Amino acid sequence: MKYVNANDILPDMLIEELQKYVQAGYIYIPVKNEQHKSWGELSGYRKELARRNKAIIEEYRRGVSIEKLADKYYLSIYAIRKIIYQK
C-alpha cells in the first residue's frame, strides 16, 4: 500500500475535519465492498498458484510420485497431497 499526502488529494475543509480526530498519523481507508478484490487478484499470484497446482496434478496423474513433486516444487508432502486430492 502506498501512502499519499492528504494535502495532495483532499480539499482543505476535509483535512481540517480529519485533523479533529487524527494529526500527524496514518488513517487506513478501506475499499468499498463492491470494489473489493479477492486475495491475489491484483498481483496475479492466485492465477500463478492455480497454474502450478494444475501442473502438479497433471504430473501426478502421469505417475510422478508425491515425494518427487514435493522436492521439485519445494513443498511438503502434506501440501502436495492437499493439492492433488482437492475437490
Side-chain angles (χ1 to χ4, degrees):
M1 174 177 31
K2 169 179 138 177
Y3 292 103
V4 179
N5 187 325
N7 290 321
D8 294 340
I9 62 169
L10 300 176
D12 292 338
M13 185 175 80
L14 182 54
I15 292 171
E16 289 174 17
E17 186 65 27
L18 288 169
Q19 285 172 334
K20 293 177 185 176
Y21 302 94
V22 177
Q23 290 189 24
Y26 297 107
I27 298 175
Y28 172 75
I29 301 172
V31 69
K32 291 181 179 180
N33 283 339
E34 62 270 11
Q35 294 176 330
H36 179 74
K37 302 283 186 204
S38 297
W39 175 86
E41 266 187 280
L42 292 176
S43 68
Y45 194 60
R46 179 176 286 225
K47 286 182 182 178
E48 186 179 326
L49 287 179
R51 280 192 292 270
R52 181 207 64 188
N53 292 352
K54 185 178 177 184
I56 289 171
I57 292 167
E58 289 174 4
E59 289 181 49
Y60 177 74
R61 287 182 180 157
R62 286 197 310 260
V64 178
S65 73
I66 290 174
E67 291 79 11
K68 286 187 180 182
L69 290 169
D71 287 341
K72 178 178 179 179
Y73 290 97
Y74 302 100
L75 295 170
S76 68
I77 291 173
Y78 174 78
I80 296 293
R81 283 188 180 134
K82 207 169 152 183
I83 292 166
I84 291 169
Y85 299 125
Q86 67 186 351
K87 298 181 184 177

